[in-house]
Every structure is written in C-alpha cells, then in structure tokens.
Amino acid sequence: MSDELQVPISERIAAYRQSRDIALRNEIVMQSMGLVRSCALSMRNMYIKYGEVDDVINEGVIALMDAIETYDDSKGAKFETYAVLKIRGAIIDYIRKQDWVPRNIRKFARTLDKANQMLYNLSGRAPSTAELAEYLKMDEDKLLRLMAECSGMMTLSFEELLYEDNIDEPSLETPTDRNIIIEETRREIAKAIEELNERERQVITLYYYKELKYSDIAKALGISESRVCQIHTKATLLLKAKLEPYFGNRRST
C-alpha cells in the first residue's frame, strides 16, 4: 500500500478542501470506489430487470464526490459511513425517478402497503396472505403472483424509509447524539427482524447482510426465485409496518 493510502481518508479530504487539487479529489474517489460498487451491487435486486449496473454506479460516483465536498468529521461519523448514506440515498432517488416499473405494479405496491399497514394496526400482528387476499378481494394465487412482481418496488419503499432524512439531521448536534441514534435504530431494526418467521428472516439476512441476488437466495434455500420475491415482499411489508412509527416519531421531534 502506498504512503498516500496509509493517510486517514479524513485527512486526505481535509487536504483536498484546503488545496482544491482535483487530482487529489480523484485519488480519494478511486480509493473509495469499493463503497460505490458495494452499494450498487447490494441494491441490484431493485433495478436489475430494468436498469444497468454501470448507470447506477455512475450515480453513486456523483454522490461520492458530493460526500467528499460535504463531509464534516466533527460530527463524529466516519467518512465511509457518511458516504454510504449519501450513495444509497442517491441510488434510491435515481431508481425512483427512472419510472421503470409498469404503472399497474407501482399502483398495486402502494395498495398492498396500505392494506398491510391497516391490517397490522388493527390486529397488532402481521396479516397472513389469506387475510391480505380477502381484504384486497382477490384470490391468494393472484396476490402471490403480484407480490413477486412488486418485490423491487417494496424494497425501494423500505429503503426510502431507512435512508430518507437520515444523512444530516440538524437535531443531532454532537457525535454522542448521532451514535445514540445509530445504536437505537439498529436495535429497532433488529427487533423488527426478530418478529419475522424463520423463512422471512433467512431471506432478509441473505439479502441485506450477505448481499445475495434473488436467484442466489433461491438456490441457497432450495425454492424458486419467484417464491423468494414473495417472501421478501411479505417481510418488507412487516418491517415497514413495525418501523414506520419509529421513524415518524424521530422526524417529528
């Protein structure tokens, strides 16, 4: 490893801010490209049927350059943590603006989300597929087919919940405040995941922590890719229902 790469990245960013040396900025970008690629690949199930990985990576690079310009190490977050939030947020915004998904699937995803939230609020538990089908006045087979088709939309909606307004919250004045919020958020997410059934936890773990594609998850679990999409949709619906009040309360304080 070169001597330059041994210098903490925060110091290299500070040096760039002082010198405005474009060559130095480009070196920092190249040093951090792994963050962009990791984000683009971990989110590929949301866009792989419609968009190109290279286009998403380009959006991530733009966000990375913005992160270099706006990073403030006095706020207590590592640059890598801050950059990932910016990159993932930019990718979410890019996917949302592309309008790749057919209108009827987008509409159904919103309807399904609202139905799940209402039934969850009424019973205090995740509604079954049969209960959702009854509420939506359709047979279970059709519901399962549509759940598989809208998996990417539900994932995008869940990612928006996690990353929206979570980059530079003005209420978090000190590093201690930020660390407390980060740990609290992790606990809330972990608690919500624990309420999933075993198969749903397996899919969420393989998707978010192992960063596997749906096809690879299907092979690992010995089920069809369509079934993985259905399970993932059902899991994200429950996670959203559990976590929306938490994030809502945070934004209102």
Side-chain angles (χ1 to χ4, degrees):
M1 182 178 291
S2 67
D3 292 340
E4 288 83 1
L5 295 184
Q6 291 177 10
V7 176
I9 197 165
S10 59
E11 293 184 18
R12 303 197 79 203
I13 291 171
Y16 160 68
R17 296 273 191 80
Q18 186 172 12
S19 68
R20 310 307 298 180
D21 181 348
I22 297 302
L24 176 56
R25 185 204 64 184
N26 292 344
E27 288 176 10
I28 297 169
V29 169
M30 294 306 298
Q31 181 181 350
S32 305
M33 275 301 295
L35 300 176
V36 176
R37 293 191 185 94
S38 177
C39 289
L41 291 175
S42 70
M43 301 170 77
R44 64 189 176 275
N45 285 324
M46 285 188 280
Y47 63 82
I48 200 64
K49 292 181 181 178
Y50 312 103
E52 298 294 330
V53 174
D54 287 346
D55 293 335
V56 172
I57 286 176
N58 287 340
E59 292 298 315
V61 170
I62 294 169
L64 173 61
M65 289 191 290
D66 182 57
I68 292 169
E69 298 289 346
T70 58
Y71 174 62
D72 182 355
D73 63 354
S74 70
K75 293 186 177 180
K78 294 196 301 183
F79 173 72
E80 292 82 358
T81 302
Y82 177 73
V84 165
L85 284 172
K86 295 280 281 187
I87 293 164
R88 290 185 76 92
I91 292 174
I92 288 168
D93 194 48
Y94 174 71
I95 295 171
R96 182 174 50 196
K97 289 178 178 177
Q98 295 315 298
D99 202 24
W100 285 319
V101 180
R103 184 172 298 177
N104 64 316
I105 296 299
R106 295 200 313 273
K107 181 179 179 181
F108 175 75
R110 290 192 295 269
T111 300
L112 177 62
D113 194 6
K114 289 178 182 177
N116 184 80
Q117 185 74 59
M118 196 190 79
L119 292 174
Y120 178 86
N121 290 339
L122 285 173
S123 65
R125 61 170 177 80
S128 66
T129 305
E131 288 168 334
L132 281 167
E134 181 180 3
Y135 180 82
L136 294 169
K137 296 181 173 58
M138 64 175 63
D139 63 68
E140 267 190 81
D141 287 342
K142 181 178 181 181
L143 175 60
L144 288 170
R145 177 177 58 79
L146 289 171
M147 286 174 70
E149 290 182 13
C150 75
S151 179
M153 280 296 298
M154 292 311 308
T155 305
L156 178 61
S157 178
F158 181 56
E159 293 271 350
E160 286 176 324
L161 175 67
L162 294 182
Y163 288 93
E164 186 179 39
D165 300 331
N166 286 330
I167 294 176
D168 269 331
E169 295 187 38
S171 61
L172 304 181
E173 299 291 345
T174 69
T176 300
D177 291 336
R178 290 172 182 275
N179 290 335
I180 289 172
I181 287 294
I182 289 169
E183 288 305 314
E184 181 183 88
T185 301
R186 285 174 178 164
R187 284 196 300 272
E188 290 295 322
I189 293 172
K191 187 164 61 174
I193 290 173
E194 281 302 310
E195 294 199 17
L196 302 175
N197 65 39
E198 182 179 358
R199 183 48 60 92
E200 289 167 348
R201 283 198 302 273
Q202 287 176 326
V203 169
I204 289 296
T205 299
L206 292 172
Y207 182 91
Y208 284 103
Y209 297 100
K210 300 297 184 180
E211 299 184 352
L212 297 185
K213 294 185 295 185
Y214 286 145
S215 57
D216 293 332
I217 295 173
K219 290 176 184 176
L221 298 181
I223 57 179
S224 69
E225 186 172 342
S226 176
R227 183 60 183 144
V228 170
C229 292
Q230 294 164 5
I231 294 168
H232 191 269
T233 294
K234 192 70 165 55
T236 52
L237 284 168
L238 176 57
L239 292 175
K240 275 199 72 184
K242 287 290 295 179
L243 292 169
E244 274 183 329
Y246 167 72
F247 284 108
N249 290 335
R250 269 184 51 188
R251 292 182 186 120
S252 64
T253 56

